[in-house]
Amino acid sequence: MPRAAGTGLVGGANAIDGCVVVVFDAMSQIVEIDAVESLAVVQPGVINDDLRAAAAEQGLWYPPDPASSPWSMIGGNVGTNAGGVCCVKYGVTRDYVRELEVVTGTGEVVRLGRRTAKGVAGYDLAGLMVGSEGTLGIITEIVVALRAARSPETTIAGFFDTLVDAGRGVAAVAAAGITPSALELVDRECLRAVDEWKNMGLTSDGNVLLLARTDLPGQAGEQEAEAIRACFEQGGASAAVVAEDEQEADALFAARRLAYPALERLGPVLTEDVCVPRSKVPEMLGRIEEIAGRHETRIANIAHAGDGNLHPLLLVPAGDDEAKRRAQVAFEEILDAAVELGGTVAGEHGIGLIKRRGLASEVSPGVLGMHSAIKKALDPHGILNPGKAFPDIDDHTARTEATLA
Amino acid sequence: MPRAAGTGLVGGANAIDGCVVVVFDAMSQIVEIDAVESLAVVQPGVINDDLRAAAAEQGLWYPPDPASSPWSMIGGNVGTNAGGVCCVKYGVTRDYVRELEVVTGTGEVVRLGRRTAKGVAGYDLAGLMVGSEGTLGIITEIVVALRAARSPETTIAGFFDTLVDAGRGVAAVAAAGITPSALELVDRECLRAVDEWKNMGLTSDGNVLLLARTDLPGQAGEQEAEAIRACFEQGGASAAVVAEDEQEADALFAARRLAYPALERLGPVLTEDVCVPRSKVPEMLGRIEEIAGRHETRIANIAHAGDGNLHPLLLVPAGDDEAKRRAQVAFEEILDAAVELGGTVAGEHGIGLIKRRGLASEVSPGVLGMHSAIKKALDPHGILNPGKAFPDIDDHTARTEATLA
């Protein structure tokens, strides 16, 4: 099984019994940055932020920006199809992968995809590898598309009394035809945890914080920032401001950046990653609140609200087995609630070990059968990241064999 | 085998002996346009332009714009992963497909992908279906993402003496960090054919025409248009202008729009669709010129120059079997030249019947083996669009069986 930086949150890179782990720390070379073709060739062990810095030196930009970007590696980002803050406007890792060198389950070395901007010769096997969590091949080289560096961003903040109001703020931005370069939500639990740690006075401004960014150039950016601010007011914000400068913008985004470490100060955190249609964000947050109450589990929420990708953070008091068990039940119920609302159990983190039951609740047996058929076709000996990303690979393989015989 | 509007240019929707054809003319309903989620649910027989018009009524936009958009159907667009003029900035069909209802090779009806903006639960089977040319499943419903309607476009035209100069113009735009919403090339053969038909005096302005568009709003758009014009001059344009109004823009783009019908007036046209790294566009055009001379075949060129996607148009005099044979040899040599330059035999039209040898020249036996393994896994009886998109499906299936046994 391949393992990059191991920053994943679902156990996809945790070895099971008897598994050989292939690590990529020594394959950390940026092979090439081609400014004319706007692409980079990297080994799997390159740190996300290192690629971004190298691209920036040539006036280019690699958009996918998972929160783990200072530590996570491009190989792992490709394996999980990592997202991030700016993907509401710029898409996820798969949108940037052009070509992959892959070692297959039968030991062949193949190159999938191509360097050109377009191409439809054959199946999209490079796209299939992205997000397959190491179960279909081991990626040994990656060609990604880059974009031209963009204009500096402007930050807009809105404080809301209720989650429903914040949901209205998000809907108003969408209805205005605006695609911000970030649209993040931070709930009261997170604001309180940050306040308890850093004493920033966030909770005195409101219960829910929406943070948006625009990166349109010049006057267009100023106009979009003001339009987003107006949308927040329209949604019922108790306060809505456009940051005057980078310093103020950083202070506002600190609430988002510090939420996770602030919560971790209180004990172990179990991170969710559901994604629902964006109009269902308020209802999903309501369901999470109800589940938290019923299972006496403290749950905070940060969310990529613009694309409906929620990260409920379940606080699990250390050493309390009963509380841990309740949190685990709550975790599973949140997955089911997301599926009920037309969403998915995994927005950007993957299935790994801990969402295997969730996958089975989301995807039909017929679709699972197709997964198993493809897994068996490309990894006939079942040697690639065994035990991951399938509800129960043996059962489904058997089922597929029966269906497809 | 599925057949939508049959506008494809590689024979992918042409039945072989004994094949049952599933047509979609009666499945032409736009099921839903959801402005809040920015998506549309359509049946495969919906005409591309009809979807665009319905989206526009709600202030939304479906970007993929193949030249066949007045006639081609979304089902066919998905089957071939169709591109178009604006995909240099906005991507191709696959980038907009969220969910598909598919009838599999074993007769099951499955839903692949999901409606949410993000999602990584399981393999990207919806993405795999896109561009698979009907060989992995029959698509019966399609959910596509829409974007907010954009600002009106501004057109910039540059006339160049040589293809190399025009290539410099394209490179200058890229080097300036500009992503135009169109960047098209029309060569002397095309300009002459349009002039012979419409007497527009195009060839008196220069030998090669570059047409760009920008859709940035307001002042940013004006600035970008002027920057592109300056890039064209920098590349050595003999004339470079920004269109004053929509009427002038239409007149400039007429040369691009009328090129294909103007050439068809002269006889049957064999359409190529190679894609090369964008820096190789001038060299590829040089190779095409050399091949044309050597095989005494008249070849005109239109190109999505911004993404290196060339459409050499081979003029085949009707009723001249020897000329037809020479054109066919030239056609194959152009495919090989694209592969030699690091490109692909199919940028946006697919493999179908006529590029099967070309696919084998581009893709390694190992990769073809993976194709066959997936085909066999999802269509074990080989009933889905038989004979298409594989160099020789029986040979490669046999090979795969040997490799993967």
Side-chain angles (χ1 to χ4, degrees), chain A residues 36-38 87 94 106 108 111 114 117-125 135-136 148 177 219 275-279 304 307 309 344 346-348 350 362 366-367 371 373-374 377 380 390 403-404, chain B residues 36-38 94 106 108 111 114 116-125 135-136 148 177 219 275 277-279 304 307 309 344 346-348 350 362 366-367 371 373-374 377 380 390 403-404:
Chain A
V36 177
E37 304 298 334
S38 293
C87 62
R94 183 180 289 118
T106 53
E108 279 189 274
R111 289 193 81 91
R114 54 191 63 77
K118 289 158 80 179
V120 294
Y123 300 149
D124 183 22
L125 298 181
T135 64
L136 296 180
Q219 206 183 14
C275 188
V276 295
R278 61 186 174 194
S279 64
H304 307 303
D307 41 33
N309 187 192
T344 175
E348 57 181 9
E362 175 178 340
V367 174
H371 278 75
I374 287 174
F390 279 86
T403 309
L404 299 179
Chain B
V36 177
E37 303 299 335
S38 293
R94 183 179 290 118
T106 52
E108 278 188 276
R111 290 193 81 91
R114 54 191 64 79
T116 52
K118 287 159 81 179
V120 293
Y123 299 150
D124 183 22
L125 298 182
T135 64
L136 296 180
Q219 207 183 10
C275 188
R278 60 187 173 194
S279 64
H304 306 305
D307 40 30
N309 187 192
T344 175
E348 57 181 11
E362 175 179 340
V367 174
H371 278 76
I374 287 173
F390 279 86
T403 310
L404 300 177

XYZ file of all heavy atoms in Angstrom, chain A residues 36-38 87 94 106 108 111 114 117-125 135-136 148 177 219 275-279 304 307 309 344 346-348 350 362 366-367 371 373-374 377 380 390 403-404, chain B residues 36-38 94 106 108 111 114 116-125 135-136 148 177 219 275 277-279 304 307 309 344 346-348 350 362 366-367 371 373-374 377 380 390 403-404:
684
model
N 5.442 27.555 -20.134
C 4.756 27.707 -21.423
C 3.512 26.831 -21.470
O 2.435 27.263 -21.894
C 5.714 27.359 -22.588
C 4.980 27.441 -23.910
C 6.908 28.294 -22.582
N 3.649 25.576 -21.002
C 2.496 24.666 -21.013
C 1.660 24.790 -19.737
O 0.618 24.128 -19.615
C 2.955 23.214 -21.167
C 3.809 22.930 -22.390
C 3.079 23.188 -23.698
O 1.843 23.115 -23.714
O 3.758 23.500 -24.697
N 2.112 25.603 -18.774
C 1.418 25.743 -17.494
C 1.195 24.400 -16.814
O 0.056 24.036 -16.503
C 0.067 26.452 -17.673
O 0.244 27.775 -18.059
N -11.604 25.573 -3.651
C -12.171 24.718 -4.701
C -13.624 25.063 -4.990
O -14.161 24.605 -5.997
C -11.962 23.243 -4.427
S -12.728 22.628 -2.973
N -8.578 16.430 -8.853
C -8.787 15.740 -10.136
C -8.809 16.716 -11.308
O -8.362 16.377 -12.412
C -10.084 14.931 -10.117
C -10.284 14.130 -11.428
C -11.567 13.301 -11.438
N -11.476 12.183 -10.524
C -12.261 12.000 -9.481
N -13.234 12.855 -9.213
N -12.107 10.942 -8.708
N -0.505 -5.632 -11.459
C 0.238 -6.753 -12.046
C 1.710 -6.392 -12.255
O 2.435 -7.109 -12.945
C -0.381 -7.175 -13.391
O -0.491 -6.010 -14.227
C -1.770 -7.766 -13.198
N 3.083 -3.834 -13.832
C 3.471 -3.044 -15.001
C 3.578 -1.572 -14.627
O 2.858 -1.090 -13.753
C 2.418 -3.168 -16.106
C 2.542 -4.434 -16.944
C 1.608 -4.381 -18.142
O 0.424 -4.768 -17.977
O 2.043 -3.957 -19.219
N 1.808 4.865 -18.123
C 1.501 6.301 -18.028
C 0.058 6.494 -18.481
O -0.319 6.060 -19.578
C 2.463 7.130 -18.878
C 3.880 7.151 -18.266
C 4.766 8.207 -18.899
N 4.527 9.528 -18.346
C 5.184 10.037 -17.293
N 6.116 9.341 -16.691
N 4.913 11.247 -16.856
N -2.476 12.381 -20.269
C -1.522 12.999 -21.198
C -1.261 14.426 -20.765
O -1.974 14.961 -19.927
C -2.085 12.965 -22.611
C -3.463 13.588 -22.718
C -4.091 13.298 -24.046
N -4.324 11.876 -24.285
C -5.318 11.168 -23.754
N -6.173 11.740 -22.912
N -5.487 9.899 -24.020
N -3.715 19.866 -22.988
C -4.845 20.471 -22.283
C -6.117 19.659 -22.477
O -6.970 19.605 -21.597
C -5.046 21.906 -22.768
N -6.260 19.050 -23.639
C -7.437 18.242 -23.920
C -7.005 16.872 -24.418
O -5.875 16.706 -24.878
C -8.303 18.909 -24.999
C -9.013 20.155 -24.521
C -9.396 21.038 -25.676
C -10.648 20.589 -26.378
N -10.977 21.525 -27.497
N -7.936 15.920 -24.414
C -7.620 14.600 -24.925
C -8.717 13.613 -24.590
O -9.151 13.559 -23.437
N -9.178 12.870 -25.609
C -10.255 11.899 -25.386
C -9.909 10.536 -25.992
O -10.793 9.774 -26.332
C -11.604 12.404 -25.953
C -12.087 13.620 -25.185
C -11.503 12.712 -27.443
N -8.608 10.261 -26.125
C -8.206 8.971 -26.677
C -8.253 7.911 -25.582
O -7.334 7.799 -24.778
C -6.810 9.062 -27.289
N -9.336 7.153 -25.534
C -9.483 6.094 -24.538
C -10.163 6.566 -23.268
O -10.539 7.733 -23.135
N -10.336 5.628 -22.358
C -11.024 5.918 -21.098
C -10.192 6.868 -20.225
O -8.973 6.914 -20.339
C -11.269 4.617 -20.315
C -12.117 3.597 -21.040
C -11.932 2.229 -20.830
C -13.119 3.976 -21.931
C -12.709 1.273 -21.478
C -13.900 3.035 -22.587
C -13.690 1.679 -22.355
O -14.458 0.745 -22.991
N -10.877 7.575 -19.329
C -10.192 8.522 -18.440
C -9.571 7.771 -17.261
O -10.025 7.880 -16.122
C -11.183 9.582 -17.953
C -10.494 10.636 -17.087
O -9.256 10.796 -17.208
O -11.190 11.283 -16.288
N -8.517 7.017 -17.550
C -7.904 6.187 -16.516
C -7.147 7.018 -15.490
O -7.088 6.650 -14.313
C -6.972 5.149 -17.151
C -7.663 4.161 -18.098
C -6.654 3.159 -18.648
C -8.799 3.426 -17.396
N -6.039 1.961 -4.211
C -6.580 0.611 -4.391
C -6.495 0.115 -5.831
O -6.802 -1.041 -6.101
C -8.061 0.530 -3.949
O -8.844 1.379 -4.798
C -8.226 0.968 -2.504
N -6.094 1.009 -6.769
C -6.036 0.596 -8.182
C -4.631 0.721 -8.777
O -4.419 0.313 -9.923
C -7.009 1.446 -9.023
C -8.504 1.304 -8.712
C -9.305 2.212 -9.630
C -8.963 -0.140 -8.860
N -2.367 30.670 -14.131
C -1.643 31.917 -13.918
C -1.941 32.409 -12.501
O -3.056 32.236 -11.998
C -2.073 32.960 -14.939
N -25.464 35.182 -8.461
C -24.579 34.745 -9.542
C -23.111 34.947 -9.241
O -22.283 35.017 -10.136
N -11.138 46.904 -9.815
C -12.465 47.427 -9.511
C -13.516 46.312 -9.452
O -14.418 46.352 -8.612
C -12.842 48.429 -10.609
C -13.823 49.476 -10.174
C -14.210 50.387 -11.341
O -13.948 50.075 -12.513
N -14.842 51.497 -11.027
N -20.967 16.017 2.532
C -21.275 17.080 1.586
C -22.730 16.931 1.167
O -23.171 15.830 0.814
C -20.347 16.983 0.372
S -20.480 18.376 -0.776
N -23.474 18.022 1.232
C -24.897 17.992 0.865
C -25.158 19.082 -0.176
O -24.345 19.999 -0.345
C -25.810 18.222 2.101
C -25.670 17.074 3.089
C -25.510 19.559 2.776
N -26.294 18.984 -0.910
C -26.646 20.097 -1.800
C -26.631 21.394 -0.994
O -27.061 21.416 0.162
C -28.073 19.727 -2.242
C -28.125 18.239 -2.153
C -27.284 17.897 -0.946
N -26.140 22.484 -1.592
C -25.867 23.655 -0.743
C -27.110 24.251 -0.106
O -27.029 24.836 0.962
C -25.038 24.701 -1.489
C -25.655 25.268 -2.720
C -24.636 26.176 -3.409
N -25.165 26.641 -4.689
C -24.434 27.206 -5.623
N -23.143 27.379 -5.429
N -24.963 27.602 -6.750
N -28.272 24.027 -0.734
C -29.510 24.529 -0.130
C -29.865 23.751 1.136
O -30.687 24.193 1.936
C -30.665 24.412 -1.125
O -30.907 23.057 -1.417
N -17.024 24.226 4.308
C -16.875 24.896 3.027
C -18.313 25.136 2.538
O -18.845 24.377 1.718
C -16.096 24.023 2.039
C -14.771 23.535 2.558
N -13.793 24.405 2.995
C -14.247 22.293 2.697
C -12.728 23.692 3.384
N -12.988 22.417 3.218
N -19.796 25.062 -1.188
C -20.083 23.832 -1.904
C -20.710 22.761 -1.024
O -20.716 21.595 -1.387
C -18.872 23.316 -2.700
C -17.558 23.431 -1.957
O -17.583 23.299 -0.734
O -16.539 23.655 -2.604
N -19.945 21.401 1.716
C -19.041 20.412 2.328
C -18.817 20.769 3.792
O -18.142 21.741 4.112
C -17.728 20.400 1.551
C -16.757 19.304 1.958
O -15.604 19.332 1.562
N -17.194 18.324 2.740
N -23.450 13.157 0.324
C -22.471 12.069 0.313
C -21.739 11.986 1.652
O -21.622 12.992 2.361
C -21.456 12.254 -0.841
O -20.442 11.240 -0.753
C -20.758 13.611 -0.762
N -18.617 11.456 1.982
C -17.222 11.887 1.848
C -17.113 12.985 0.808
O -17.260 12.736 -0.383
C -16.332 10.700 1.470
N -16.871 14.204 1.270
C -16.747 15.329 0.351
C -15.355 15.449 -0.241
O -15.201 15.732 -1.420
N -14.324 15.215 0.603
C -12.954 15.419 0.125
C -11.904 14.607 0.880
O -10.733 14.681 0.543
C -12.590 16.915 0.191
C -12.737 17.510 1.592
C -12.412 19.004 1.666
O -12.243 19.635 0.629
O -12.340 19.525 2.801
N -12.183 11.067 1.607
C -12.120 9.672 1.196
C -12.891 8.742 2.126
O -13.541 9.179 3.081
N -24.608 4.763 1.097
C -24.808 5.791 0.061
C -24.999 5.185 -1.323
O -25.815 5.656 -2.118
C -23.584 6.734 0.036
C -23.652 7.750 -1.087
C -22.462 8.711 -1.096
O -21.798 8.860 -0.061
O -22.211 9.313 -2.153
N -25.617 -2.360 -6.959
C -25.182 -2.417 -8.357
C -23.916 -1.603 -8.589
O -22.993 -2.037 -9.289
N -23.864 -0.414 -7.985
C -22.685 0.446 -8.147
C -21.487 -0.151 -7.401
O -20.362 -0.137 -7.905
C -22.991 1.879 -7.656
C -21.742 2.739 -7.689
C -24.090 2.500 -8.509
N -17.714 -1.233 -8.735
C -16.439 -0.946 -8.064
C -15.602 -2.222 -7.943
O -14.414 -2.242 -8.262
C -16.688 -0.385 -6.662
C -17.000 1.076 -6.628
N -18.210 1.584 -7.007
C -16.244 2.137 -6.266
C -18.180 2.907 -6.877
N -17.008 3.265 -6.435
N -15.831 -4.965 -9.626
C -15.429 -5.496 -10.936
C -14.187 -4.766 -11.444
O -13.255 -5.385 -11.971
C -16.586 -5.363 -11.927
N -14.161 -3.439 -11.258
C -13.008 -2.658 -11.707
C -11.782 -2.977 -10.842
O -10.678 -3.153 -11.347
C -13.339 -1.147 -11.679
C -14.301 -0.824 -12.835
C -12.072 -0.299 -11.774
C -14.830 0.581 -12.842
N -10.461 -6.173 -11.973
C -9.867 -6.096 -13.317
C -8.459 -5.506 -13.254
O -7.561 -5.964 -13.959
C -10.752 -5.251 -14.230
N -5.971 -7.868 -9.840
C -6.551 -9.214 -9.743
C -6.095 -9.977 -8.498
O -6.808 -10.860 -8.028
C -6.086 -9.902 -11.031
C -4.957 -9.079 -11.549
C -5.202 -7.685 -11.075
N -13.626 -0.136 0.535
C -14.725 -1.014 0.146
C -15.449 -1.473 1.410
O -14.792 -1.784 2.403
C -14.201 -2.247 -0.603
C -13.915 -1.993 -2.049
C -12.691 -1.479 -2.441
C -14.875 -2.253 -3.015
C -12.423 -1.238 -3.782
C -14.616 -2.018 -4.354
C -13.389 -1.511 -4.749
N -23.091 -11.561 -10.571
C -23.833 -10.668 -11.474
C -23.264 -10.693 -12.878
O -23.996 -10.703 -13.863
C -23.745 -9.212 -10.956
O -24.114 -9.209 -9.594
C -24.667 -8.303 -11.745
N -21.967 -10.670 -12.957
C -21.331 -10.455 -14.255
C -20.912 -11.750 -14.940
O -20.379 -11.704 -16.038
C -20.110 -9.546 -14.086
C -20.383 -8.145 -13.538
C -19.075 -7.380 -13.395
C -21.321 -7.368 -14.444
N -30.860 27.148 -7.518
C -30.187 27.228 -6.222
C -28.926 26.355 -6.226
O -27.863 26.775 -5.775
C -31.136 26.811 -5.078
C -30.401 26.823 -3.745
C -32.345 27.743 -5.023
N -29.064 25.131 -6.768
C -27.903 24.225 -6.811
C -27.066 24.436 -8.069
O -26.038 23.776 -8.242
C -28.357 22.759 -6.740
C -29.193 22.396 -5.522
C -28.466 22.606 -4.195
O -27.230 22.563 -4.187
O -29.148 22.850 -3.180
N -27.521 25.288 -8.978
C -26.834 25.518 -10.257
C -26.613 24.215 -11.020
O -25.477 23.872 -11.367
C -25.476 26.208 -10.045
O -25.675 27.506 -9.563
N -16.799 16.727 -19.400
C -16.601 15.964 -18.152
C -16.586 16.872 -16.927
O -17.038 16.480 -15.857
C -15.300 15.146 -18.209
C -15.096 14.290 -16.949
C -13.812 13.459 -17.000
N -13.895 12.395 -17.962
C -13.111 12.285 -19.028
N -12.167 13.169 -19.249
N -13.267 11.273 -19.856
N -24.820 -5.492 -18.037
C -25.555 -6.640 -17.514
C -27.028 -6.290 -17.287
O -27.754 -7.044 -16.637
C -24.929 -7.127 -16.184
O -24.821 -6.005 -15.295
C -23.547 -7.707 -16.414
N -28.410 -3.827 -15.579
C -28.808 -3.106 -14.362
C -28.923 -1.608 -14.644
O -28.197 -1.081 -15.481
C -27.750 -3.301 -13.269
C -27.889 -4.599 -12.503
C -26.936 -4.643 -11.316
O -25.765 -5.008 -11.510
O -27.380 -4.302 -10.203
N -27.151 4.618 -10.797
C -26.845 6.048 -10.800
C -25.410 6.228 -10.336
O -25.026 5.730 -9.276
C -27.821 6.828 -9.916
C -29.228 6.875 -10.516
C -30.114 7.894 -9.831
N -29.892 9.244 -10.309
C -30.548 9.813 -11.328
N -31.464 9.140 -12.008
N -30.273 11.045 -11.689
N -22.904 12.013 -8.223
C -23.861 12.578 -7.270
C -24.122 14.033 -7.621
O -23.404 14.627 -8.407
C -23.303 12.467 -5.852
C -21.920 13.071 -5.715
C -21.280 12.724 -4.404
N -21.048 11.296 -4.257
C -20.029 10.629 -4.829
N -19.166 11.252 -5.612
N -19.872 9.344 -4.622
N -24.076 16.608 -5.544
C -23.358 17.605 -4.746
C -22.140 18.147 -5.505
O -21.622 17.511 -6.412
C -22.876 16.985 -3.415
O -22.162 15.782 -3.696
C -24.043 16.660 -2.516
N -21.695 19.336 -5.096
C -20.571 19.985 -5.766
C -19.290 19.173 -5.609
O -18.439 19.171 -6.495
C -20.379 21.395 -5.194
N -19.143 18.487 -4.493
C -17.966 17.669 -4.245
C -18.388 16.273 -3.823
O -19.522 16.062 -3.381
C -17.124 18.293 -3.117
C -16.394 19.541 -3.532
C -16.012 20.374 -2.338
C -14.767 19.884 -1.649
N -14.438 20.779 -0.498
N -17.466 15.332 -3.890
C -17.768 13.988 -3.438
C -16.674 13.022 -3.836
O -16.221 13.034 -4.982
N -16.198 12.217 -2.870
C -15.119 11.272 -3.152
C -15.459 9.877 -2.626
O -14.558 9.081 -2.345
C -13.774 11.751 -2.541
C -13.285 13.010 -3.230
C -13.885 11.967 -1.042
N -16.775 9.580 -2.508
C -17.160 8.256 -2.026
C -17.108 7.268 -3.185
O -18.015 7.198 -3.999
C -18.559 8.306 -1.406
N -16.024 6.522 -3.266
C -15.887 5.516 -4.323
C -15.195 6.061 -5.553
O -14.815 7.224 -5.617
N -15.013 5.165 -6.531
C -14.320 5.528 -7.769
C -15.155 6.522 -8.572
O -16.377 6.573 -8.453
C -14.078 4.274 -8.624
C -13.221 3.221 -7.964
C -13.391 1.866 -8.266
C -12.229 3.560 -7.050
C -12.610 0.881 -7.675
C -11.438 2.586 -6.454
C -11.635 1.244 -6.768
O -10.858 0.281 -6.180
N -14.480 7.283 -9.434
C -15.169 8.275 -10.267
C -15.781 7.596 -11.487
O -15.335 7.772 -12.619
C -14.187 9.376 -10.692
C -14.875 10.467 -11.508
O -16.113 10.606 -11.387
O -14.190 11.166 -12.273
N -16.841 6.834 -11.238
C -17.448 6.058 -12.327
C -18.201 6.945 -13.308
O -18.265 6.642 -14.503
C -18.376 4.986 -11.742
C -17.675 3.947 -10.859
C -18.686 2.907 -10.368
C -16.549 3.254 -11.613
N -19.298 2.533 -24.858
C -18.761 1.171 -24.757
C -18.841 0.588 -23.344
O -18.537 -0.589 -23.149
C -17.273 1.125 -25.197
O -16.496 1.922 -24.288
C -17.093 1.637 -26.617
N -19.241 1.422 -22.359
C -19.293 0.937 -20.969
C -20.695 1.014 -20.365
O -20.908 0.543 -19.243
C -18.321 1.746 -20.085
C -16.834 1.632 -20.400
C -16.025 2.492 -19.442
C -16.365 0.183 -20.343
N -23.068 30.617 -13.337
C -23.803 31.874 -13.480
C -23.508 32.460 -14.861
O -22.395 32.310 -15.375
C -23.371 32.855 -12.395
N -0.004 35.522 -18.719
C -0.891 35.020 -17.669
C -2.364 35.246 -17.967
O -3.196 35.278 -17.069
N -14.381 47.086 -16.711
C -13.066 47.630 -16.999
C -12.009 46.524 -17.126
O -11.103 46.615 -17.977
C -12.678 48.570 -15.847
C -11.725 49.658 -16.236
C -11.331 50.491 -14.998
O -11.628 50.133 -13.856
N -10.665 51.592 -15.246
N -4.426 16.968 -30.781
C -4.120 17.986 -29.773
C -2.667 17.819 -29.361
O -2.217 16.706 -29.078
C -5.051 17.825 -28.571
S -4.935 19.158 -27.356
N 0.884 19.772 -27.182
C 1.239 20.834 -26.235
C 1.210 22.178 -26.969
O 1.650 22.254 -28.120
C 2.673 20.455 -25.821
C 2.741 18.971 -26.005
C 1.890 18.691 -27.215
N 0.714 23.231 -26.318
C 0.440 24.447 -27.089
C 1.685 25.081 -27.703
O 1.601 25.719 -28.754
C -0.374 25.452 -26.304
C 0.237 25.952 -25.041
C -0.789 26.825 -24.298
N -0.274 27.182 -22.987
C -1.012 27.689 -22.017
N -2.293 27.894 -22.209
N -0.490 27.996 -20.856
N 2.842 24.827 -27.087
C 4.078 25.365 -27.667
C 4.436 24.660 -28.976
O 5.248 25.155 -29.753
C 5.231 25.184 -26.682
O 5.470 23.806 -26.469
N -8.402 25.258 -32.094
C -8.555 25.863 -30.778
C -7.119 26.081 -30.283
O -6.586 25.272 -29.510
C -9.320 24.932 -29.844
C -10.660 24.473 -30.387
N -11.631 25.358 -30.794
C -11.179 23.242 -30.580
C -12.696 24.675 -31.209
N -12.440 23.390 -31.091
N -5.616 25.826 -26.567
C -5.327 24.554 -25.901
C -4.690 23.538 -26.835
O -4.696 22.341 -26.547
C -6.558 23.987 -25.155
C -7.850 24.145 -25.901
O -7.804 24.137 -27.118
O -8.910 24.251 -25.285
N -5.469 22.312 -29.659
C -6.365 21.356 -30.325
C -6.591 21.804 -31.771
O -7.262 22.792 -32.038
C -7.685 21.300 -29.554
C -8.651 20.224 -30.024
O -9.808 20.234 -29.620
N -8.214 19.306 -30.861
N -1.947 14.006 -28.741
C -2.921 12.924 -28.787
C -3.655 12.919 -30.130
O -3.775 13.969 -30.777
C -3.939 13.036 -27.628
O -4.950 12.025 -27.783
C -4.629 14.394 -27.606
N -6.766 12.400 -30.493
C -8.165 12.811 -30.342
C -8.285 13.855 -29.242
O -8.136 13.536 -28.059
C -9.049 11.605 -30.029
N -8.529 15.106 -29.625
C -8.661 16.166 -28.641
C -10.049 16.247 -28.046
O -10.218 16.472 -26.843
N -11.060 16.055 -28.907
C -12.439 16.226 -28.412
C -13.483 15.459 -29.210
O -14.663 15.505 -28.868
C -12.805 17.726 -28.398
C -12.657 18.395 -29.767
C -12.984 19.899 -29.773
O -13.135 20.479 -28.694
O -13.096 20.461 -30.882
N -13.216 11.964 -30.144
C -13.279 10.545 -29.820
C -12.507 9.675 -30.799
O -11.858 10.175 -31.728
N -0.747 5.682 -29.993
C -0.554 6.647 -28.899
C -0.341 5.971 -27.550
O 0.466 6.408 -26.735
C -1.773 7.583 -28.825
C -1.716 8.546 -27.645
C -2.898 9.495 -27.589
O -3.560 9.695 -28.621
O -3.178 10.026 -26.500
N 0.289 -1.871 -22.355
C -0.155 -2.011 -20.971
C -1.421 -1.218 -20.693
O -2.342 -1.687 -20.016
N -1.467 0.001 -21.232
C -2.649 0.851 -21.022
C -3.845 0.288 -21.803
O -4.983 0.274 -21.307
C -2.344 2.306 -21.434
C -3.595 3.165 -21.352
C -1.254 2.886 -20.543
N -7.606 -0.869 -20.516
C -8.881 -0.556 -21.170
C -9.714 -1.830 -21.360
O -10.898 -1.873 -21.045
C -8.638 0.079 -22.541
C -8.336 1.535 -22.491
N -7.124 2.035 -22.093
C -9.096 2.620 -22.795
C -7.157 3.362 -22.149
N -8.338 3.741 -22.571
N -9.470 -4.664 -19.841
C -9.876 -5.269 -18.571
C -11.116 -4.574 -18.018
O -12.045 -5.222 -17.514
C -8.719 -5.189 -17.565
N -11.153 -3.229 -18.129
C -12.315 -2.483 -17.635
C -13.538 -2.755 -18.519
O -14.647 -2.959 -18.029
C -11.986 -0.976 -17.572
C -11.033 -0.724 -16.411
C -13.257 -0.136 -17.430
C -10.505 0.687 -16.327
N -14.843 -6.018 -17.568
C -15.435 -6.013 -16.226
C -16.848 -5.437 -16.253
O -17.744 -5.927 -15.569
C -14.557 -5.195 -15.269
N -19.336 -7.607 -19.779
C -18.747 -8.946 -19.962
C -19.210 -9.645 -21.243
O -18.495 -10.493 -21.758
C -19.199 -9.703 -18.708
C -20.328 -8.917 -18.145
C -20.104 -7.500 -18.538
N -11.732 0.715 -29.713
C -10.620 -0.177 -29.375
C -9.900 -0.558 -30.661
O -10.550 -0.831 -31.673
C -11.133 -1.446 -28.684
C -11.418 -1.265 -27.231
C -12.643 -0.780 -26.807
C -10.457 -1.569 -26.282
C -12.905 -0.601 -25.462
C -10.717 -1.394 -24.938
C -11.940 -0.911 -24.519
N -2.190 -11.266 -19.281
C -1.468 -10.412 -18.332
C -2.026 -10.533 -16.920
O -1.280 -10.592 -15.946
C -1.579 -8.929 -18.763
O -1.227 -8.837 -20.122
C -0.658 -8.064 -17.924
N -3.329 -10.521 -16.856
C -3.960 -10.403 -15.540
C -4.351 -11.737 -14.926
O -4.891 -11.782 -13.836
C -5.196 -9.495 -15.641
C -4.950 -8.063 -16.117
C -6.259 -7.308 -16.231
C -4.016 -7.326 -15.165
